[in-house]
Amino acid sequence: MEDTEKKENFSEKDLPKDIQNEIKEEIISEIENKKSETGQEIFIEDLPYWTRIAILEEGKTFEILLDMHNGQDDFSAGNIYKGKIVDVLPSMQAVFINIGSEKNAYLFVPSRNKIEKYKSGDEIIVQIKKESIDSKGAKVSDNPTIPGKYVVLTMEKKIGISKKIASNFEKARIRKILAKLENEIKSEDIGIVARTEAQDTPEDLIREDFERLLKIYQEIKEKIKNYPAPTLLWSDSDIIRKAIRDYSSLRLKRVVSNSEEKLKKAQEYIKEFLPGVHENVKFELSDSPFIFQKYGIEEDFQNALKDEIEIEGGIKLVFNETEAFTAIDINTASFTGTENLDITAYQANLISAKEIVRQLRLRKIGGIIIVDFIDIKGQKLKRKLFSEIKRIIEKDKERTKIFGITRLGLVEISRKKSGYSLKKILMSKCPTCKNGYVSSDILKIHETILKISKYQGKIVKVSPENFKILDDIVKKLKLDVRLQIKYGLGKWEVAI
């Protein structure tokens, strides 16, 4: 809206009575939730074709991590390589680099003047920012970073603090700690950036984290000297390590897995990154291989791949991911609210905003996001809505910025991209219509295995085309099911 940026004095007393009551109910609800809060939970499901990790806060899924077991060399986002430049295209501001993968990695150079420093045949240290997908090679950066729980080591001289740390007192405290650490690496061409997690974290834990990263950096330096290009210098592909390092908090209460090996790994990483928390965490080994299904997470995972989902109150959210941006439309559908249209729109928008932020995290959507909120005529309610959306967005771990509400009720959001969205990883463009998306084979395998698992103690018939791969998975999971070939069935059909 045009006057979003104006600073006008208004309080909750200026709002309609219905909204004032709603705010009071929200505060009471938050107090009640704190009394019965379950804290943070991590669920690790290890299946023959993938490993999935879900991070739950107060019983709600907010993050899903995925590692597919495709039998290929692991060129994951975060990995650091010593590569060799094979081509430089000044007109495209592009440098192509051999890092040992099937397709050359791609480095975009933002300044045409700087592209002259890249020469074919030169060796270069790069880090994967976006993994290879379809016909595209991996997108890389020539400014690698090594992330820890509380700080990040950069391969250039710099000192920084996360912009999400707002307190000036806390910034000053962290700056003093970083200054001490910087003093210890004066002879090295590296820097330190404090992550948001560093806020209110004791100095000794920040130092431990820094020393871990410094050890990794020294190992990378040795490999750079002793190994020819292309070579992997450091791998960040351990999904459990990433989950504990990047998403776990002091509120972690429970870790559940269907794999004893993965559960032990999680214990080790929690000891490493959250030394004071380990003793209070409950570790559970599940008797079911399908723990996402057992604990109600499978529905969240499947919904994160849908274009349209129904949320609280019968409201529908429609997601349209394009190359340029993601558009999100809100449809009140069966939502009734109150007799006052503005208040009904406000309530529907607020419910939607909370779920949209959660969906952005689950779907791993980044870049430009346009949300078509339901139009509100009253300026006070518009400002209140904008304020609430800002508050909700601040909880997102990724760097996210909201730019305002236009006259048409559109909200512009930018969110840091961290790899491809879940949909682009697990689905591909429909080969027939070229517009819609179809499930990948790995997603179809998973859906078929879930169907088969429902028929314990029975003979299940499958198509000859997929019999071997499905039979291998059934045996590895030790399901009490016997598969038989049946001709005439569709590729992913099952029959009893």
Side-chain angles (χ1 to χ4, degrees):
M1 68 187 170
E2 66 276 10
D3 59 347
T4 298
E5 301 302 322
K6 292 179 185 175
K7 291 188 178 178
E8 297 179 30
N9 293 322
F10 71 98
S11 67
E12 285 171 7
K13 289 178 184 177
D14 298 318
L15 297 171
K17 284 283 181 191
D18 285 25
I19 300 302
Q20 289 183 45
N21 291 335
E22 187 181 316
I23 291 166
K24 284 176 188 173
E25 284 172 15
E26 239 179 76
I27 292 167
I28 291 166
S29 175
E30 280 182 21
I31 292 167
E32 290 301 315
N33 284 341
K34 281 183 180 177
K35 288 179 185 175
S36 60
E37 61 185 18
T38 56
Q40 187 184 62
E41 300 168 291
I42 296 177
F43 293 84
I44 307 166
E45 181 189 76
D46 188 42
L47 297 173
Y49 41 90
W50 64 26
T51 299
R52 295 185 296 180
I53 298 179
I55 316 290
L56 275 67
E57 300 280 353
E58 307 307 338
K60 258 196 161 180
T61 314
F62 277 93
E63 306 284 351
I64 291 175
L65 285 75
L66 178 68
D67 179 28
M68 291 190 284
H69 309 162
N70 52 21
Q72 297 172 5
D73 289 337
D74 195 8
F75 291 89
S76 300
N79 287 4
I80 299 175
Y81 294 86
K82 181 181 182 180
K84 185 170 276 192
I85 297 173
V86 294
D87 204 0
V88 180
L89 300 178
S91 59
M92 291 175 60
Q93 294 173 248
V95 178
F96 292 92
I97 302 154
N98 176 12
I99 59 170
S101 58
E102 188 180 336
K103 300 182 186 82
N104 289 329
Y106 162 77
L107 171 69
F108 175 71
V109 184
S111 169
R112 287 182 182 272
N113 298 329
K114 290 183 179 177
I115 202 160
E116 293 174 4
K117 74 173 185 177
Y118 300 96
K119 307 290 181 189
S120 290
D122 284 0
E123 291 183 338
I124 185 171
I125 310 303
V126 293
Q127 183 171 38
I128 294 180
K129 293 299 177 185
K130 268 189 175 182
E131 294 163 6
S132 174
I133 193 168
D134 297 330
S135 59
K136 298 177 182 176
K139 187 177 181 181
V140 297
S141 162
D142 60 349
N143 181 23
T145 58
I146 310 167
K149 179 74 178 166
Y150 308 110
V151 294
V152 173
L153 221 58
T154 66
M155 302 273 186
E156 62 175 350
K157 283 279 186 187
K158 67 183 286 188
I159 294 292
I161 297 174
S162 166
K163 289 179 182 177
K164 290 206 167 193
I165 299 176
S167 161
N168 289 328
F169 173 81
E170 191 59 15
K171 282 180 186 174
R173 182 188 78 88
I174 292 170
R175 203 169 278 114
K176 282 180 185 176
I177 295 169
L178 296 185
K180 288 181 195 174
L181 300 177
E182 184 191 23
N183 206 38
E184 297 176 19
I185 52 170
K186 275 186 176 177
S187 61
E188 303 285 356
D189 288 325
I190 53 175
I192 323 162
V193 177
R195 301 184 76 173
T196 310
E197 288 289 325
Q199 185 166 322
D200 301 322
T201 300
E203 183 176 343
D204 59 333
L205 288 183
I206 294 174
R207 174 172 284 280
E208 278 178 27
D209 200 38
F210 165 75
E211 286 171 354
R212 260 195 305 270
L213 300 183
L214 196 56
K215 188 180 174 185
I216 293 169
Y217 169 71
Q218 298 296 352
E219 289 170 359
I220 289 172
K221 265 181 73 176
E222 283 301 306
K223 283 188 176 180
I224 290 171
K225 277 193 282 183
N226 298 321
Y227 290 86
T231 192
L232 173 66
L233 300 173
W234 179 69
S235 173
D236 194 28
S237 58
D238 188 329
I239 189 175
I240 299 173
R241 182 184 177 87
K242 274 186 184 177
I244 305 298
R245 181 191 68 205
D246 296 341
Y247 299 104
S248 67
S249 72
L250 297 174
R251 298 175 61 258
L252 181 61
K253 302 292 182 190
R254 181 164 78 137
V255 179
V256 182
S257 180
N258 64 329
S259 161
E260 195 170 349
E261 179 197 342
K262 304 295 182 192
L263 204 59
K264 282 179 181 174
K265 260 192 174 187
Q267 284 178 301
E268 288 166 12
Y269 291 137
I270 290 165
K271 279 180 186 174
E272 181 182 341
F273 292 114
L274 296 166
V277 173
H278 180 266
E279 291 176 5
N280 300 318
V281 177
K282 188 178 178 185
F283 295 92
E284 296 177 23
L285 185 64
S286 172
D287 56 353
S288 168
F290 307 108
I291 64 170
F292 269 42
Q293 192 175 58
K294 182 178 178 179
Y295 292 97
I297 304 163
E298 188 67 42
E299 187 179 356
D300 287 332
F301 177 78
Q302 295 295 341
N303 279 346
L305 296 169
K306 291 178 182 175
D307 290 336
E308 184 178 301
I309 59 169
E310 187 172 309
I311 62 171
E312 182 188 336
I315 298 165
K316 289 183 179 176
L317 301 180
V318 182
F319 294 80
N320 183 16
E321 289 184 47
T322 70
E323 288 298 321
F325 62 90
T326 297
I328 305 170
D329 184 45
I330 297 167
N331 186 337
T332 49
S334 58
F335 184 78
T336 51
T338 67
E339 290 180 12
N340 184 305
L341 290 178
D342 256 16
I343 293 172
T344 299
Y346 173 84
Q347 291 170 334
N349 283 336
L350 195 56
I351 290 167
S352 301
K354 289 175 183 175
E355 185 58 28
I356 284 167
V357 172
R358 187 173 85 101
Q359 287 295 323
L360 293 179
R361 291 171 67 177
L362 287 175
R363 293 167 183 252
K364 299 286 183 283
I365 291 174
I368 299 167
I369 298 146
I370 306 293
V371 186
D372 186 6
F373 280 100
I374 302 156
D375 190 38
I376 297 173
K377 290 186 172 64
Q379 296 304 314
K380 285 177 183 175
L381 274 183
K382 269 191 179 182
R383 288 193 292 272
K384 178 64 182 168
L385 176 64
F386 183 71
S387 171
E388 285 298 307
I389 295 170
K390 276 182 81 173
R391 184 180 64 82
I392 293 163
I393 278 176
E394 280 169 7
K395 295 178 182 178
D396 192 350
K397 279 185 176 286
E398 294 293 355
R399 191 168 65 248
T400 308
K401 190 175 179 183
I402 179 169
F403 293 94
I405 305 178
T406 68
R407 288 183 184 185
L408 297 173
L410 301 175
V411 172
E412 299 164 331
I413 300 168
S414 72
R415 188 172 188 265
K416 182 187 172 187
K417 281 190 176 183
S418 52
Y420 293 98
S421 70
L422 200 61
K423 187 174 185 175
K424 285 185 179 176
I425 291 168
L426 287 173
M427 305 186 85
S428 55
K429 285 278 186 185
C430 175
T432 308
C433 70
K434 307 293 182 187
N435 289 321
Y437 281 84
V438 293
S439 298
S440 63
D441 278 358
I442 197 165
L443 197 55
K444 286 290 188 184
I445 286 168
H446 176 65
E447 289 165 357
T448 308
I449 288 293
L450 285 181
K451 284 181 199 170
I452 290 168
S453 69
K454 292 176 183 176
Y455 301 110
Q456 297 290 322
K458 294 186 178 179
I459 294 171
V460 178
K461 298 175 179 70
V462 297
S463 74
E465 191 177 353
N466 287 329
F467 172 78
K468 188 178 186 311
I469 189 167
L470 294 174
D471 193 50
D472 285 346
I473 293 168
V474 164
K475 285 172 181 172
K476 283 175 183 174
L477 292 174
K478 297 178 180 175
L479 300 180
D480 182 20
V481 173
R482 190 155 67 88
L483 297 190
Q484 277 186 359
I485 291 172
K486 183 178 180 181
Y487 294 94
L489 283 178
K491 187 177 179 181
W492 301 108
E493 276 187 275
V494 299
I496 303 299

PDB file of all heavy atoms in Angstrom, residues 298-319:
ATOM      1  N   GLU A 298       4.380 -37.246   6.709  1.00  0.00           N
ATOM      2  CA  GLU A 298       4.255 -37.571   5.281  1.00  0.00           C
ATOM      3  C   GLU A 298       3.279 -36.628   4.580  1.00  0.00           C
ATOM      4  O   GLU A 298       3.523 -36.188   3.448  1.00  0.00           O
ATOM      5  CB  GLU A 298       3.790 -39.027   5.108  1.00  0.00           C
ATOM      6  CG  GLU A 298       3.806 -39.528   3.670  1.00  0.00           C
ATOM      7  CD  GLU A 298       5.211 -39.642   3.098  1.00  0.00           C
ATOM      8  OE1 GLU A 298       6.119 -40.114   3.810  1.00  0.00           O
ATOM      9  OE2 GLU A 298       5.388 -39.251   1.926  1.00  0.00           O
ATOM     10  N   GLU A 299       2.191 -36.279   5.256  1.00  0.00           N
ATOM     11  CA  GLU A 299       1.193 -35.375   4.664  1.00  0.00           C
ATOM     12  C   GLU A 299       1.802 -33.994   4.403  1.00  0.00           C
ATOM     13  O   GLU A 299       1.551 -33.382   3.360  1.00  0.00           O
ATOM     14  CB  GLU A 299      -0.020 -35.246   5.591  1.00  0.00           C
ATOM     15  CG  GLU A 299      -1.159 -34.454   4.976  1.00  0.00           C
ATOM     16  CD  GLU A 299      -2.369 -34.333   5.881  1.00  0.00           C
ATOM     17  OE1 GLU A 299      -2.373 -34.928   6.981  1.00  0.00           O
ATOM     18  OE2 GLU A 299      -3.312 -33.609   5.498  1.00  0.00           O
ATOM     19  N   ASP A 300       2.616 -33.501   5.361  1.00  0.00           N
ATOM     20  CA  ASP A 300       3.297 -32.207   5.164  1.00  0.00           C
ATOM     21  C   ASP A 300       4.242 -32.269   3.966  1.00  0.00           C
ATOM     22  O   ASP A 300       4.340 -31.313   3.188  1.00  0.00           O
ATOM     23  CB  ASP A 300       4.099 -31.824   6.416  1.00  0.00           C
ATOM     24  CG  ASP A 300       3.202 -31.384   7.567  1.00  0.00           C
ATOM     25  OD1 ASP A 300       2.110 -30.872   7.286  1.00  0.00           O
ATOM     26  OD2 ASP A 300       3.596 -31.559   8.731  1.00  0.00           O
ATOM     27  N   PHE A 301       4.950 -33.391   3.831  1.00  0.00           N
ATOM     28  CA  PHE A 301       5.891 -33.578   2.722  1.00  0.00           C
ATOM     29  C   PHE A 301       5.153 -33.576   1.387  1.00  0.00           C
ATOM     30  O   PHE A 301       5.555 -32.890   0.438  1.00  0.00           O
ATOM     31  CB  PHE A 301       6.656 -34.894   2.916  1.00  0.00           C
ATOM     32  CG  PHE A 301       7.597 -35.235   1.798  1.00  0.00           C
ATOM     33  CD1 PHE A 301       8.838 -34.614   1.695  1.00  0.00           C
ATOM     34  CD2 PHE A 301       7.255 -36.175   0.840  1.00  0.00           C
ATOM     35  CE1 PHE A 301       9.706 -34.922   0.663  1.00  0.00           C
ATOM     36  CE2 PHE A 301       8.126 -36.501  -0.197  1.00  0.00           C
ATOM     37  CZ  PHE A 301       9.353 -35.862  -0.284  1.00  0.00           C
ATOM     38  N   GLN A 302       4.061 -34.340   1.307  1.00  0.00           N
ATOM     39  CA  GLN A 302       3.287 -34.415   0.059  1.00  0.00           C
ATOM     40  C   GLN A 302       2.626 -33.069  -0.269  1.00  0.00           C
ATOM     41  O   GLN A 302       2.582 -32.657  -1.431  1.00  0.00           O
ATOM     42  CB  GLN A 302       2.220 -35.519   0.162  1.00  0.00           C
ATOM     43  CG  GLN A 302       2.775 -36.932   0.289  1.00  0.00           C
ATOM     44  CD  GLN A 302       3.534 -37.409  -0.929  1.00  0.00           C
ATOM     45  OE1 GLN A 302       3.389 -36.881  -2.015  1.00  0.00           O
ATOM     46  NE2 GLN A 302       4.376 -38.425  -0.758  1.00  0.00           N
ATOM     47  N   ASN A 303       2.139 -32.369   0.763  1.00  0.00           N
ATOM     48  CA  ASN A 303       1.519 -31.054   0.544  1.00  0.00           C
ATOM     49  C   ASN A 303       2.516 -30.037   0.004  1.00  0.00           C
ATOM     50  O   ASN A 303       2.147 -29.140  -0.758  1.00  0.00           O
ATOM     51  CB  ASN A 303       0.905 -30.526   1.847  1.00  0.00           C
ATOM     52  CG  ASN A 303      -0.459 -31.118   2.120  1.00  0.00           C
ATOM     53  OD1 ASN A 303      -1.078 -31.722   1.239  1.00  0.00           O
ATOM     54  ND2 ASN A 303      -0.938 -30.980   3.339  1.00  0.00           N
ATOM     55  N   ALA A 304       3.780 -30.182   0.421  1.00  0.00           N
ATOM     56  CA  ALA A 304       4.825 -29.247  -0.022  1.00  0.00           C
ATOM     57  C   ALA A 304       5.135 -29.392  -1.511  1.00  0.00           C
ATOM     58  O   ALA A 304       5.842 -28.565  -2.083  1.00  0.00           O
ATOM     59  CB  ALA A 304       6.098 -29.448   0.806  1.00  0.00           C
ATOM     60  N   LEU A 305       4.590 -30.423  -2.154  1.00  0.00           N
ATOM     61  CA  LEU A 305       4.793 -30.634  -3.590  1.00  0.00           C
ATOM     62  C   LEU A 305       3.547 -30.252  -4.403  1.00  0.00           C
ATOM     63  O   LEU A 305       3.576 -30.264  -5.631  1.00  0.00           O
ATOM     64  CB  LEU A 305       5.145 -32.104  -3.858  1.00  0.00           C
ATOM     65  CG  LEU A 305       6.466 -32.592  -3.246  1.00  0.00           C
ATOM     66  CD1 LEU A 305       6.562 -34.109  -3.339  1.00  0.00           C
ATOM     67  CD2 LEU A 305       7.659 -31.951  -3.917  1.00  0.00           C
ATOM     68  N   LYS A 306       2.471 -29.912  -3.707  1.00  0.00           N
ATOM     69  CA  LYS A 306       1.212 -29.593  -4.399  1.00  0.00           C
ATOM     70  C   LYS A 306       1.142 -28.115  -4.765  1.00  0.00           C
ATOM     71  O   LYS A 306       1.654 -27.268  -4.045  1.00  0.00           O
ATOM     72  CB  LYS A 306       0.022 -29.953  -3.507  1.00  0.00           C
ATOM     73  CG  LYS A 306      -0.181 -31.445  -3.301  1.00  0.00           C
ATOM     74  CD  LYS A 306      -1.347 -31.693  -2.355  1.00  0.00           C
ATOM     75  CE  LYS A 306      -1.537 -33.195  -2.097  1.00  0.00           C
ATOM     76  NZ  LYS A 306      -2.596 -33.425  -1.093  1.00  0.00           N
ATOM     77  N   ASP A 307       0.441 -27.822  -5.862  1.00  0.00           N
ATOM     78  CA  ASP A 307       0.219 -26.432  -6.269  1.00  0.00           C
ATOM     79  C   ASP A 307      -0.840 -25.772  -5.395  1.00  0.00           C
ATOM     80  O   ASP A 307      -0.798 -24.571  -5.162  1.00  0.00           O
ATOM     81  CB  ASP A 307      -0.233 -26.359  -7.735  1.00  0.00           C
ATOM     82  CG  ASP A 307       0.885 -26.720  -8.693  1.00  0.00           C
ATOM     83  OD1 ASP A 307       2.053 -26.572  -8.305  1.00  0.00           O
ATOM     84  OD2 ASP A 307       0.590 -27.168  -9.813  1.00  0.00           O
ATOM     85  N   GLU A 308      -1.797 -26.577  -4.937  1.00  0.00           N
ATOM     86  CA  GLU A 308      -2.894 -26.023  -4.135  1.00  0.00           C
ATOM     87  C   GLU A 308      -3.081 -26.832  -2.856  1.00  0.00           C
ATOM     88  O   GLU A 308      -3.127 -28.059  -2.893  1.00  0.00           O
ATOM     89  CB  GLU A 308      -4.195 -26.033  -4.943  1.00  0.00           C
ATOM     90  CG  GLU A 308      -5.366 -25.378  -4.228  1.00  0.00           C
ATOM     91  CD  GLU A 308      -6.632 -25.368  -5.067  1.00  0.00           C
ATOM     92  OE1 GLU A 308      -6.603 -24.792  -6.185  1.00  0.00           O
ATOM     93  OE2 GLU A 308      -7.648 -25.941  -4.615  1.00  0.00           O
ATOM     94  N   ILE A 309      -3.148 -26.128  -1.728  1.00  0.00           N
ATOM     95  CA  ILE A 309      -3.389 -26.815  -0.454  1.00  0.00           C
ATOM     96  C   ILE A 309      -4.508 -26.099   0.312  1.00  0.00           C
ATOM     97  O   ILE A 309      -4.708 -24.903   0.156  1.00  0.00           O
ATOM     98  CB  ILE A 309      -2.117 -26.879   0.438  1.00  0.00           C
ATOM     99  CG1 ILE A 309      -1.586 -25.470   0.748  1.00  0.00           C
ATOM    100  CG2 ILE A 309      -1.057 -27.750  -0.192  1.00  0.00           C
ATOM    101  CD1 ILE A 309      -0.504 -25.453   1.816  1.00  0.00           C
ATOM    102  N   GLU A 310      -5.211 -26.873   1.121  1.00  0.00           N
ATOM    103  CA  GLU A 310      -6.253 -26.285   1.969  1.00  0.00           C
ATOM    104  C   GLU A 310      -5.723 -26.184   3.384  1.00  0.00           C
ATOM    105  O   GLU A 310      -5.130 -27.126   3.914  1.00  0.00           O
ATOM    106  CB  GLU A 310      -7.519 -27.142   1.941  1.00  0.00           C
ATOM    107  CG  GLU A 310      -8.688 -26.489   2.665  1.00  0.00           C
ATOM    108  CD  GLU A 310      -9.998 -27.236   2.489  1.00  0.00           C
ATOM    109  OE1 GLU A 310     -10.357 -27.537   1.329  1.00  0.00           O
ATOM    110  OE2 GLU A 310     -10.641 -27.522   3.509  1.00  0.00           O
ATOM    111  N   ILE A 311      -5.929 -25.013   4.022  1.00  0.00           N
ATOM    112  CA  ILE A 311      -5.412 -24.801   5.378  1.00  0.00           C
ATOM    113  C   ILE A 311      -6.579 -24.517   6.327  1.00  0.00           C
ATOM    114  O   ILE A 311      -7.741 -24.661   5.963  1.00  0.00           O
ATOM    115  CB  ILE A 311      -4.357 -23.671   5.401  1.00  0.00           C
ATOM    116  CG1 ILE A 311      -4.974 -22.321   4.967  1.00  0.00           C
ATOM    117  CG2 ILE A 311      -3.183 -24.022   4.512  1.00  0.00           C
ATOM    118  CD1 ILE A 311      -4.059 -21.137   5.171  1.00  0.00           C
ATOM    119  N   GLU A 312      -6.244 -24.076   7.526  1.00  0.00           N
ATOM    120  CA  GLU A 312      -7.235 -23.795   8.566  1.00  0.00           C
ATOM    121  C   GLU A 312      -8.387 -22.932   8.042  1.00  0.00           C
ATOM    122  O   GLU A 312      -8.172 -21.968   7.304  1.00  0.00           O
ATOM    123  CB  GLU A 312      -6.515 -23.047   9.707  1.00  0.00           C
ATOM    124  CG  GLU A 312      -7.373 -22.722  10.898  1.00  0.00           C
ATOM    125  CD  GLU A 312      -6.665 -21.821  11.889  1.00  0.00           C
ATOM    126  OE1 GLU A 312      -5.419 -21.803  11.918  1.00  0.00           O
ATOM    127  OE2 GLU A 312      -7.366 -21.125  12.635  1.00  0.00           O
ATOM    128  N   GLY A 313      -9.614 -23.304   8.440  1.00  0.00           N
ATOM    129  CA  GLY A 313     -10.792 -22.514   8.070  1.00  0.00           C
ATOM    130  C   GLY A 313     -11.249 -22.729   6.641  1.00  0.00           C
ATOM    131  O   GLY A 313     -12.114 -22.004   6.152  1.00  0.00           O
ATOM    132  N   GLY A 314     -10.665 -23.705   5.937  1.00  0.00           N
ATOM    133  CA  GLY A 314     -11.067 -23.978   4.550  1.00  0.00           C
ATOM    134  C   GLY A 314     -10.442 -23.035   3.538  1.00  0.00           C
ATOM    135  O   GLY A 314     -10.800 -23.048   2.355  1.00  0.00           O
ATOM    136  N   ILE A 315      -9.481 -22.210   3.986  1.00  0.00           N
ATOM    137  CA  ILE A 315      -8.784 -21.291   3.068  1.00  0.00           C
ATOM    138  C   ILE A 315      -7.880 -22.108   2.143  1.00  0.00           C
ATOM    139  O   ILE A 315      -7.254 -23.078   2.578  1.00  0.00           O
ATOM    140  CB  ILE A 315      -7.940 -20.269   3.867  1.00  0.00           C
ATOM    141  CG1 ILE A 315      -8.840 -19.409   4.751  1.00  0.00           C
ATOM    142  CG2 ILE A 315      -7.107 -19.381   2.938  1.00  0.00           C
ATOM    143  CD1 ILE A 315      -8.089 -18.636   5.811  1.00  0.00           C
ATOM    144  N   LYS A 316      -7.796 -21.699   0.879  1.00  0.00           N
ATOM    145  CA  LYS A 316      -6.921 -22.397  -0.073  1.00  0.00           C
ATOM    146  C   LYS A 316      -5.774 -21.498  -0.496  1.00  0.00           C
ATOM    147  O   LYS A 316      -5.975 -20.316  -0.792  1.00  0.00           O
ATOM    148  CB  LYS A 316      -7.723 -22.853  -1.297  1.00  0.00           C
ATOM    149  CG  LYS A 316      -8.682 -23.996  -0.971  1.00  0.00           C
ATOM    150  CD  LYS A 316      -9.425 -24.490  -2.173  1.00  0.00           C
ATOM    151  CE  LYS A 316     -10.351 -25.658  -1.782  1.00  0.00           C
ATOM    152  NZ  LYS A 316     -11.174 -26.103  -2.907  1.00  0.00           N
ATOM    153  N   LEU A 317      -4.570 -22.072  -0.513  1.00  0.00           N
ATOM    154  CA  LEU A 317      -3.377 -21.372  -0.995  1.00  0.00           C
ATOM    155  C   LEU A 317      -2.949 -22.011  -2.307  1.00  0.00           C
ATOM    156  O   LEU A 317      -2.843 -23.239  -2.401  1.00  0.00           O
ATOM    157  CB  LEU A 317      -2.233 -21.478   0.015  1.00  0.00           C
ATOM    158  CG  LEU A 317      -2.471 -20.919   1.427  1.00  0.00           C
ATOM    159  CD1 LEU A 317      -1.220 -21.117   2.278  1.00  0.00           C
ATOM    160  CD2 LEU A 317      -2.857 -19.451   1.383  1.00  0.00           C
ATOM    161  N   VAL A 318      -2.688 -21.178  -3.321  1.00  0.00           N
ATOM    162  CA  VAL A 318      -2.264 -21.680  -4.638  1.00  0.00           C
ATOM    163  C   VAL A 318      -0.857 -21.161  -4.923  1.00  0.00           C
ATOM    164  O   VAL A 318      -0.617 -19.952  -4.916  1.00  0.00           O
ATOM    165  CB  VAL A 318      -3.230 -21.229  -5.748  1.00  0.00           C
ATOM    166  CG1 VAL A 318      -2.801 -21.811  -7.087  1.00  0.00           C
ATOM    167  CG2 VAL A 318      -4.667 -21.640  -5.419  1.00  0.00           C
ATOM    168  N   PHE A 319       0.081 -22.096  -5.152  1.00  0.00           N
ATOM    169  CA  PHE A 319       1.486 -21.760  -5.404  1.00  0.00           C
ATOM    170  C   PHE A 319       1.802 -21.957  -6.883  1.00  0.00           C
ATOM    171  O   PHE A 319       1.483 -22.997  -7.454  1.00  0.00           O
ATOM    172  CB  PHE A 319       2.414 -22.651  -4.570  1.00  0.00           C
ATOM    173  CG  PHE A 319       2.312 -22.424  -3.091  1.00  0.00           C
ATOM    174  CD1 PHE A 319       1.273 -22.980  -2.357  1.00  0.00           C
ATOM    175  CD2 PHE A 319       3.248 -21.647  -2.422  1.00  0.00           C
ATOM    176  CE1 PHE A 319       1.169 -22.767  -0.986  1.00  0.00           C
ATOM    177  CE2 PHE A 319       3.156 -21.425  -1.059  1.00  0.00           C
ATOM    178  CZ  PHE A 319       2.118 -21.988  -0.337  1.00  0.00           C
TER     179      PHE A 319
END
